[in-house]
Amino acid sequence: MSHLRIPQGWTIQRSTPFFTKDNVPQALLTHHNTAAEVFGQLCVMEGSVTYFGFANEAATEPELKVTINAGQFATSPPQYWHRIEMSDDAQFNINFWSNADKRNQPMFHAKKS
């Protein structure tokens, strides 16, 4: 899972600013998924980020755990439920890739309460 290939011809639709413990959106730390036809590419610049993948929205135990260290990246496929944890010194950003113009559409969805 940590390196699923983004299909050829897909382009970056949006990139986030760099996140740290001080400004990471809470949604990334809880169950969420990437939108349909959108790959997430999590790029770690400093520290480490641990990615937990879940079989579905209701799953509480991860089926996958990947640690992404500084200088590495991992991809998250469309509509796959996941969350992250980060080291105290982590700095990362996310590129959202698609084969269609989705720049003005949501790139991920949070778990419904």
Side-chain angles (χ1 to χ4, degrees), residues 52-105:
F52 297 90
F54 298 90
N56 56 53
E57 181 179 7
T60 57
E61 293 296 318
E63 65 179 359
L64 179 71
K65 178 182 174 183
V66 176
T67 300
I68 310 141
N69 295 308
Q72 299 177 329
F73 73 89
T75 56
S76 188
Q79 298 182 297
Y80 185 66
W81 289 95
H82 59 280
R83 70 173 179 82
I84 65 161
E85 291 179 0
M86 47 195 302
S87 64
D88 288 340
D89 61 343
Q91 182 176 323
F92 71 96
N93 83 316
I94 303 169
N95 298 313
F96 294 101
W97 294 74
S98 182
N99 65 343
D101 184 352
K102 294 185 176 288
R103 287 172 285 193
N104 295 317
Q105 297 177 25

Side-chain angles (χ1 to χ4, degrees), residues 10-72:
W10 286 35
T11 58
I12 294 175
Q13 299 295 304
R14 188 178 314 150
S15 294
T16 69
F18 285 102
F19 296 127
T20 65
K21 283 260 188 180
D22 295 331
N23 68 350
V24 65
Q26 186 62 32
L28 297 180
L29 304 174
T30 59
H31 251 50
H32 66 283
N33 72 358
T34 41
E37 300 176 10
V38 173
F39 261 87
Q41 179 188 32
L42 193 152
C43 304
V44 179
M45 298 300 288
E46 292 182 25
S48 64
V49 175
T50 304
Y51 175 102
F52 297 90
F54 298 90
N56 56 53
E57 181 179 7
T60 57
E61 293 296 318
E63 65 179 359
L64 179 71
K65 178 182 174 183
V66 176
T67 300
I68 310 141
N69 295 308
Q72 299 177 329

